[in-house]
Every structure is written in C-alpha cells, then in structure tokens.
Amino acid sequence: MLESKQNKKSGVLMPIFSLPSNYGIGTLGEEAYRFIDVLVKSRQNFWQVLPLNPTSYGDSPYQSPSAFAGNPYFIDLDFLCKDGLLTEKECRAERTRGQYIDYARLYRRRIPVLRKAYGRFKKSKAFDAFLQTNSDWLCGYSKFMALKEQNDPKVWNEWTQTAEPEPAEQEFWQFIQFVFFRQWNALKAYANEHGIQMIGDMPIYVAYDSADVWQNRLNFNLDDKGNPSEVAGVPPDAFSETGQLWGNPIYNWAYMKQNGYEWWHRRMKHALNMFDWVRIDHFIGFIRYYCIPADETDARVGEWRKGPGVDLFKGFEKENIIAEDLGLLTDEVREAISLTGYPGMKILQHAFGGDTDCEHKPSNFSPNNVVYTGTHDNETLYQRISATKRKNRKTLIEDLKRECGLVGIRPRYFTSKQICKSILSLLFRSNARIVVVPVSDLLLIGNKGRINAPSTLGNNWRWRCRPRYRLFQKRLLSLTKLRETTQIKTD
C-alpha cells in the first residue's frame, strides 16, 4: 500500500550556536528568523537544534548546570538594546569576528553584560507569571547559580560559602531565564506560524555539577559524601577503541520508580513545552545502561545493567518523541522501541562498508525512521567521502549505483561532491517519512564544519556557519522536489 507523498517531510539540523552573528556565537536574534525564512522558502518542515541548556565543562551542551534552563549565550543583545536594557555602545563592545566560537571570551564577558541589562530591568506581571510557572526548577537553579558564584565557581560538593545568597543575585539568574525563554518562545511561535516545527534534543544524563543533582540527590547513585559512586559511559565503539567515559552520575532508578518517575515527567513536560518534537539522546540507556566505577579512568572497566524500560514512558507514549537508538541494539531494545511506537534514527554514514542487511542502508529504511547523513558526533559527510580510500570508494559507489539506479558511470569519474549529492538525493528519495540533514553536510563542508569529536576536549561545539543562504536554499529546493515526488511504501 502507498501513503500520500505529502506525508514525507524533511528538515535541517542547525545548532543555535552555529548561526551567523556579530557576537561570537549564534543567538535567538535576527539571523535565527532569517534562517526560518529560508526553511520556509525551501518548503522544509523541521528545524532541529542541539540542546539549548547552558554549557559548562568542555563547553558541551550535554554537560549542563541544568536540564531545564536556557543558555545565556543565546540571548540576543540587539533585542535587549531594542528593549532599552542595553545601549548601542555596550552592544558594539561585545561584537567580534571569527569563524569559531571563543568560549573563554564569552565566559569572561557575557554575564557582566547581562548584569547591566538586569540593572535596568523593571519587574512586570509577565516576569512574575514566568517565576510562578517555572517555580519547580527555577528557584533551585537560581539559588544554585548564586551559590556557585559565591564559591569561585567550584563544583557544588567543594563549596565552603553556603550562606543564603542575596535575593537580588538569585533574581539576576531568574531574569536571565526570563529573557531567554521570552526570546525562544517568540522564535518558536514565528517558526510554527510559518509551518516549521522545532525538534529539540534531550540528553539522557545530567552533569554532576548541576542544580539537578544538587537539588535531587536521592535521584542519583551518590555515596555518603555526595560523590558519584559510578558514572555513565559506553564500552569500545566506533568512536573510541577504549570506550567513552562520560562521567555523568547514574540515576537511582529504583528510587525514581518509587516516585513514579516524577522528575522525568517534569523534565519531559518542560521539553515538550519548549519544542514540537524531542529527540531523546542515547535512548537505549533506558533499556540497558553501562556503569563504570567512579574511580576508574578506563571506560572498558564497566558493566551493563537493566534500565527502567518502557515503564518510564507510559505517561507520555503518544507524544512527539524521536528515540536516538544508535549503539549496540539488542532484541530487547528493538522490542522496547516497538512498544513505544517512537520513530528511531538511521545514519547513512553507518552504512558505509556494511553488508546489504545493514539497517542504515536506505533500501532498509522504514517509514517510521528519522534518517540523517550523520549526527553532531560524526565527521562531516564531505570529509568522510574525501578520506575514503580508492578501494572502499569503489565499493561505496557501487552501492550508490544500486541504491540510486545510476548506470553507465565509472567510479573514477565521481568526485567527492558528486558522491555527496547522490547520497543526499538518495536520502530524500528513501522510504523514510522524515529526513534531516546537518547544515554542514548540505553545504558540503569538510571537517572544519564538524561539531563534535567524542572523547576529545577543546575543539568541539565551536563551528559557525557563514550566511550562505542563497546556496543553502538552492540545494534544499532541489532535494525538496525529490521528496515531494517520492511516495512511501508500506506493507
């Protein structure tokens, strides 16, 4: 049976921090609205972002001081200027050029500027309503950040200054969240009004040095001194021969179950209020998760344990959730994803060199898949193809010829760009109902456009896109036409 071809949809993965801007990092300002306009003109349906939470260790959005708060760096200073909270001179002083984000500079300068804005802020009914609506997490977060500032800012289990912070200091951190969510909600409303849905990203784990752990210690496996007794990671995989040691504390699933998973339900409700769809990172960790003793430095020294399973999701099984089911898939994981009905992810880069039964090959996609060329953890598609050795490239091209129906072209005449374009075309003509392409893959950028290299520090989450919207729109439109003329085959 065939479903209507109109059911096939597509979008672009563009992190907020990668948007062009004059302030060293992408923001929720005019360029974000301009990007939505381009998506609309290209007849797209989705804009997917990475986590919008504040960053801390390693500048990673997956290591945040809060699973609920928004990133202060994303607040647009020009909008604050229009609101009368900053002067044009103060905004000009923060402008900077550069292809990559300088997080050290942002850390030194952005909060002091926001303090100036707070000094001119007059509380309103909207501010009071925001405090009341978000009191379940905002009070604890603002106190946590105020105490952190009092302690230089050390990890919470090393704090020596624990006196109640000044009310004004706590209110400052509440003001930051008020401004962030006001700007974010306006942007999302603009996207929705123009037919674009926002896909958010929810990390499965939270950082140890976070308000979430500090406030809810019984939710985590901590020792008598409040230190993690075990931490999260994965054994050796495609990204690391020795595994990945993430260092996040492990959830106390038994205690959470007794509470009816209350914290998780609040977190999911918050995320689904922020976004139209939510991609849950490392979904298999809910079915089976990998534990590493906290004093170990080698991720290979760990063990698998049984997670809460689909019991956790019973309260929101019909919501718009995407299960990031990448990693070691077992029959138990497949069954759990099938029970939830959530669409899983397929990554075309994972099919390179795989056999014909590989689930990441386009010929094996099902309608209930969200498919990508790669994720934020992969090298870019262009770099992957460019670095492919001649023998492997020949095999890859033969695969493409079979999948795309290309005939009569010898492999040596395929350039890296032609191969990338064929792969993108293949995704849009596949049987998957939703296709999402990272912006660096759409623009055929090499590894300078890579977002993250797992198990490395210092050079990640920094890439910024140049405003090449004409080329961007042209390529998207050509792919949209393929999407709109391809029907979905179902059993």
Side-chain angles (χ1 to χ4, degrees):
M1 149 179 157
L2 293 174
E3 288 197 6
S4 169
K5 60 193 176 188
Q6 279 75 25
N7 285 340
K8 199 169 173 64
K9 297 181 179 181
S10 61
V12 177
L13 170 59
M14 166 72 94
I16 295 294
F17 61 74
S18 291
L19 286 167
S21 85
N22 293 321
Y23 295 102
I25 192 170
T27 72
L28 304 174
E30 293 294 343
E31 287 291 347
Y33 288 83
R34 189 179 176 195
F35 183 71
I36 291 171
D37 293 340
V38 172
L39 293 177
V40 172
K41 291 175 184 176
S42 307
R43 302 200 293 276
Q44 296 304 296
N45 311 102
F46 300 105
W47 177 2
Q48 180 170 337
V49 295
L50 293 182
L52 301 185
N53 311 99
T55 56
S56 57
Y57 179 71
D59 308 314
S60 170
Y62 294 90
Q63 292 283 350
S64 176
S66 173
F68 294 82
N71 192 333
Y73 297 159
F74 295 163
I75 292 173
D76 188 73
L77 301 186
D78 288 333
F79 283 179
L80 291 184
C81 185
K82 290 178 181 178
D83 292 338
L85 299 179
L86 291 176
T87 67
E88 290 186 10
K89 182 179 180 180
E90 287 166 341
C91 288
R92 281 197 305 271
E94 299 308 311
R95 290 175 186 167
T96 182
R97 296 182 179 181
Q99 177 67 48
Y100 297 98
I101 298 167
D102 183 348
Y103 282 102
R105 185 179 192 276
L106 284 170
Y107 181 78
R108 292 193 307 269
R109 301 182 65 93
R110 192 53 49 92
I111 297 302
V113 171
L114 293 175
R115 287 190 184 278
K116 293 178 181 179
Y118 170 66
R120 300 176 182 122
F121 174 67
K122 295 180 180 179
K123 285 185 283 187
S124 62
K125 290 182 179 180
F127 180 67
D128 292 336
F130 175 77
L131 296 185
Q132 184 174 358
T133 303
N134 296 279
S135 60
D136 60 326
W137 64 270
L138 186 58
C139 293
Y141 170 71
S142 59
K143 185 175 180 178
F144 174 83
M145 294 304 294
L147 283 168
K148 198 167 182 61
E149 287 293 298
Q150 286 180 191
N151 287 274
D152 294 324
K154 294 179 180 178
V155 178
W156 64 263
N157 66 339
E158 298 177 2
W159 290 349
T160 56
Q161 304 295 321
T162 56
E164 184 72 18
E166 290 293 329
E169 181 65 13
Q170 295 183 61
E171 190 178 85
F172 164 66
W173 293 102
Q174 294 167 355
F175 160 77
I176 285 180
Q177 292 307 307
F178 171 69
V179 174
F180 171 89
F181 280 98
R182 184 176 59 181
Q183 292 190 3
W184 168 255
N185 290 336
L187 181 68
K188 181 179 178 291
Y190 182 83
N192 291 165
E193 287 165 7
H194 290 80
I196 303 297
Q197 291 188 304
M198 305 297 291
I199 303 177
D201 194 307
M202 177 186 285
I204 180 173
Y205 292 115
V206 299
Y208 173 70
D209 190 22
S210 67
D212 310 292
V213 178
W214 176 71
Q215 252 189 307
N216 307 282
R217 299 176 205 183
L218 293 177
N219 283 340
F220 301 89
N221 290 340
L222 308 178
D223 62 22
D224 294 339
K225 295 182 179 179
N227 298 310
S229 55
E230 49 197 5
V231 295
V234 289
D237 59 11
F239 294 110
S240 174
E241 294 180 356
T242 58
Q244 298 179 51
L245 182 60
W246 297 335
N248 307 81
I250 297 290
Y251 294 110
N252 184 342
W253 288 118
Y255 176 81
M256 284 187 154
K257 184 175 182 178
Q258 292 175 7
N259 266 347
Y261 303 108
E262 185 271 339
W263 183 86
W264 270 103
H265 283 266
R266 282 196 293 112
R267 187 184 184 192
M268 184 59 68
K269 181 180 179 181
H270 180 78
L272 288 165
N273 283 334
M274 283 186 70
F275 306 104
D276 301 297
W277 288 73
V278 175
R279 185 200 84 119
I280 301 182
D281 173 62
H282 196 58
F283 188 86
I284 65 174
F286 295 108
I287 316 304
R288 56 197 297 266
Y289 60 95
Y290 193 69
C291 276
I292 304 165
D295 57 356
E296 278 290 343
T297 58
D298 190 335
R300 291 172 292 187
V301 183
E303 64 178 20
W304 288 102
R305 293 184 191 162
K306 187 177 178 64
V310 296
D311 187 44
L312 173 65
F313 297 93
K314 286 181 180 177
F316 36 81
E317 63 250 23
K318 298 184 184 300
E319 300 289 359
N320 290 346
I321 293 170
I322 299 169
E324 191 265 285
D325 54 347
L326 307 176
L328 187 60
L329 284 178
T330 63
D331 291 340
E332 185 183 20
V333 173
R334 290 188 176 92
E335 181 184 0
I337 293 173
S338 177
L339 286 173
T340 64
Y342 301 154
M345 288 174 56
K346 296 293 174 278
I347 309 298
L348 195 134
Q349 282 200 41
H350 292 183
F352 293 173
D355 56 36
T356 55
D357 294 330
C358 177
E359 62 190 26
H360 295 282
K361 281 188 177 293
S363 54
N364 295 325
F365 292 164
S366 78
N368 198 36
N369 288 149
V370 182
V371 301
Y372 301 75
T373 48
T375 73
H376 59 274
D377 285 334
N378 291 110
E379 58 188 340
T380 67
L381 180 64
Y382 182 77
Q383 175 65 21
R384 180 71 182 271
I385 298 302
S386 299
T388 302
K389 295 180 180 179
R390 181 174 295 181
K391 181 180 178 181
N392 294 335
R393 179 180 284 228
K394 183 177 180 180
T395 302
L396 171 61
I397 293 170
E398 291 300 327
D399 274 354
L400 281 173
K401 288 169 70 174
R402 282 193 299 271
E403 300 265 5
C404 298
L406 300 175
V407 294
I409 303 178
R410 296 178 182 178
R412 70 180 186 215
Y413 294 115
F414 274 82
T415 66
S416 294
K417 285 191 175 182
Q418 286 173 322
I419 295 173
C420 290
K421 289 178 180 179
S422 295
I423 287 173
L424 289 171
S425 299
L426 182 56
L427 283 185
F428 277 75
R429 292 197 291 123
S430 73
N431 203 37
R433 187 173 285 114
I434 297 177
V435 178
V436 179
V437 181
V439 65
S440 54
D441 287 353
L442 189 68
L443 295 174
L444 305 182
I445 295 171
N447 250 21
K448 66 180 182 181
R450 182 169 185 169
I451 298 298
N452 180 51
S455 298
T456 67
L457 286 174
N459 221 15
N460 299 317
W461 321 105
R462 299 180 62 229
W463 178 72
R464 299 174 62 206
C465 182
R466 299 187 188 280
R468 301 166 65 186
Y469 293 127
R470 186 173 296 178
L471 172 63
F472 182 88
Q473 186 173 317
K474 180 180 178 181
R475 287 188 178 157
L476 264 182
L477 273 173
S478 66
L479 294 169
T480 303
K481 291 175 183 176
L482 289 175
R483 184 199 76 199
E484 293 173 345
T485 55
T486 303
Q487 292 179 316
I488 301 172
K489 300 177 182 179
T490 60
D491 295 333

